[in-house]
Amino acid sequence: TDAVALVEEIRKGEPLITASFKEHVIHLVRRLQEKLGEKEDHKFYLFKVLRAHILPLTNVAFNKSGSRFITGSYDRTCKVWDTASGEELRTLEGHGNVVYAIAFNNPYGDKIATGSFDKTCKLWSTETGKCYHTFRGHSAEIVCLSFNLQSTLVATGSMDTTAKLWDIEKGEEIVTLSGHSAEIIALSFNTTGDRIITGSFDHTVAVWDVGTGRMLHTLMGHRGEISSAQFNWDCSLIVTGSMDKTCMLWNAMTGTHIATLTGHNDEILDVCFDYAGQRIATASADGSARVYNAETKKCIAKLEGHGGEISKVCFNPKGNHILTASSDKTARLWDAATGHCLQVLEGHTDEIFSCAFNYKGDIIITGSKDNTCRIWH
């Protein structure tokens, strides 16, 4: 695409891009084109093995740039790590039970939220490790949490069948989202922050208005527990994965069912969109992953080769590669368009349940039941 012509086109529909910004936007578009054009045959090598915790890990997460990552554990702590050196920066202590759900407030990364089986969520300073707030109110374990992109709210989902929204500044509960009849195990804000979805063992996903806490839609159709649910980037679609072996696509505005993505012959354990929202990846207990075109709803690639269930799947930021984590003790890197396996990341001695890319897509972290985290460059 001619960058200058494209920016002219964008300017017609976007009053915020005035003449004075034009050159800068052209520069950004060209940089994006360069990035997309880079030929990639990056091989990942093991950089460091972190004996992260004395008890099993529950989750790992990067900050946006990938300079730091965090690990949660059954040892009741969350640890903050420096990615470049593999050094432990600090330990966040204070929970009375398993630290299960963890997150940075990306894109900022100056705060960390931890959700625990002790029924509380804590908010911490990334820099100092100070605990700003302890959010109390759930009557059972917290198993999922998420910040909105605006970094004003944190949402927690619990085994008590409710989700709660908390004000980060004031440290107070804003609203309780009640309506599910079984535990909530997945939740996700949309990009604009005005909607949140909750996925439950009651086989449904609910869409809520963040401002009022009202339930707008119930996405009904799955015949098994929900395992994951996510908005695409422009907030127009919702994808849901279920123990019923299917993945469903929904219109986010109306809550209507668009398509059912079939093909797996066992539970779907994870689903995700690429950043552009053009592709959907599914991970299944049948040991395979699949890639679907979000527009045509067709399966475009089958990722076959793992010797055990795949619990996590994610796209690299560019969207051309897919990373999977499996109970066969390996993580694999795949070509998203062809389904070819590009690389097998070996070395863990027990199942891998967590994997993530940094923002640039040139570092991978894997978290395993062997109590270690591995950094791959």
Side-chain angles (χ1 to χ4, degrees):
T1 308
D2 178 346
V4 181
L6 177 64
V7 171
E8 274 309 321
E9 200 61 31
I10 292 169
R11 273 192 63 198
K12 281 179 199 160
E14 183 46 85
L16 290 175
I17 300 176
T18 54
S20 58
F21 280 119
K22 188 175 151 185
E23 285 308 311
H24 184 58
V25 179
I26 290 170
H27 168 71
L28 289 175
V29 168
R30 287 191 172 133
R31 266 188 47 198
L32 188 58
Q33 287 175 329
E34 276 168 32
K35 256 200 146 70
L36 292 170
E38 283 167 12
K39 279 283 161 272
E40 268 189 274
D41 46 1
H42 184 85
K43 270 270 184 273
F44 287 90
Y45 294 96
L46 180 64
F47 166 66
K48 206 148 195 189
V49 179
L50 308 177
R51 309 236 161 254
H53 294 268
I54 51 171
L55 289 172
L57 293 162
T58 54
N59 259 311
V60 302
F62 270 115
N63 66 355
K64 178 156 179 170
S65 69
S67 62
R68 306 261 167 95
F69 68 93
I70 48 179
T71 54
S73 169
Y74 278 83
D75 70 9
R76 307 180 177 195
T77 72
C78 172
K79 293 189 184 220
V80 187
W81 306 82
D82 179 80
T83 313
S85 65
E87 297 302 314
E88 181 185 321
L89 297 175
R90 58 193 55 86
T91 300
L92 309 179
E93 289 178 290
H95 279 296
N97 208 326
V98 175
V99 173
Y100 194 74
I102 54 175
F104 278 102
N105 64 330
N106 291 338
Y108 306 100
D110 62 327
K111 295 185 182 76
I112 292 163
T114 54
S116 170
F117 286 2
D118 69 9
K119 309 174 195 170
T120 73
C121 169
K122 287 179 184 282
L123 188 71
W124 314 78
S125 160
T126 303
E127 284 316 307
T128 66
K130 176 182 160 226
C131 180
Y132 292 123
H133 305 296
T134 300
F135 300 125
R136 293 186 173 86
H138 280 296
S139 59
E141 296 89 335
I142 292 173
V143 289
C144 51
L145 58 75
S146 180
F147 285 96
N148 62 350
L149 265 185
Q150 295 70 26
S151 197
T152 54
L153 302 174
V154 65
T156 52
S158 168
M159 303 292 267
D160 67 11
T161 77
T162 72
K164 289 177 185 284
L165 304 182
W166 312 84
D167 184 302
I168 284 175
E169 279 308 304
K170 299 197 181 95
E172 296 166 3
E173 178 183 327
I174 293 178
V175 71
T176 296
L177 309 179
S178 303
H180 283 294
S181 59
E183 47 268 55
I184 292 174
I185 57 104
L187 48 76
S188 177
F189 281 99
N190 67 354
T191 317
T192 47
D194 61 339
R195 301 273 186 274
I196 187 170
I197 49 177
T198 52
S200 168
F201 275 7
D202 68 11
H203 305 186
T204 72
V205 172
V207 184
W208 311 79
D209 180 281
V210 168
T212 63
R214 274 187 345 129
M215 191 192 283
L216 301 174
H217 308 292
T218 306
L219 311 184
M220 293 170 75
H222 280 297
R223 295 180 174 175
E225 290 97 335
I226 303 297
S227 56
S228 63
Q230 204 188 42
F231 282 96
N232 66 342
W233 181 257
D234 72 5
C235 317
S236 62
L237 298 172
I238 293 166
V239 69
T240 56
S242 166
M243 301 300 180
D244 68 9
K245 310 179 189 177
T246 73
C247 176
M248 291 190 180
L249 206 55
W250 313 78
N251 178 314
M253 288 315 294
T254 62
T256 49
H257 173 269
I258 297 172
T260 301
L261 310 179
T262 57
H264 284 293
N265 52 37
D266 207 340
E267 301 172 345
I268 290 188
L269 303 176
D270 196 25
V271 295
C272 67
F273 280 105
D274 66 0
Y275 285 102
Q278 294 163 340
R279 289 175 179 163
I280 296 159
T282 57
S284 171
D286 67 14
S288 76
R290 285 174 176 242
V291 188
Y292 297 86
N293 179 312
E295 210 168 347
T296 66
K297 331 293 188 279
K298 297 266 184 288
C299 176
I300 50 178
K302 295 177 191 174
L303 317 183
E304 293 171 328
H306 275 298
E309 67 177 35
I310 303 173
S311 59
K312 267 285 183 298
V313 62
C314 59
F315 284 89
N316 66 342
K318 204 161 143 181
N320 61 337
H321 293 165
I322 288 173
L323 180 63
T324 52
S326 169
S327 62
D328 70 5
K329 309 176 189 176
T330 73
R332 285 176 182 244
L333 201 61
W334 312 78
D335 184 303
T338 64
H340 287 314
C341 180
L342 302 170
Q343 202 181 343
V344 182
L345 304 179
E346 294 176 292
H348 279 294
T349 58
D350 204 340
E351 70 180 81
I352 303 175
F353 56 79
S354 195
C355 59
F357 280 101
N358 65 337
Y359 183 62
K360 264 186 78 178
D362 59 357
I363 301 175
I364 288 171
I365 305 180
T366 52
S368 164
K369 269 197 179 157
D370 66 12
N371 292 14
T372 73
C373 229
R374 285 174 177 244
I375 308 175
W376 312 78
H377 281 219

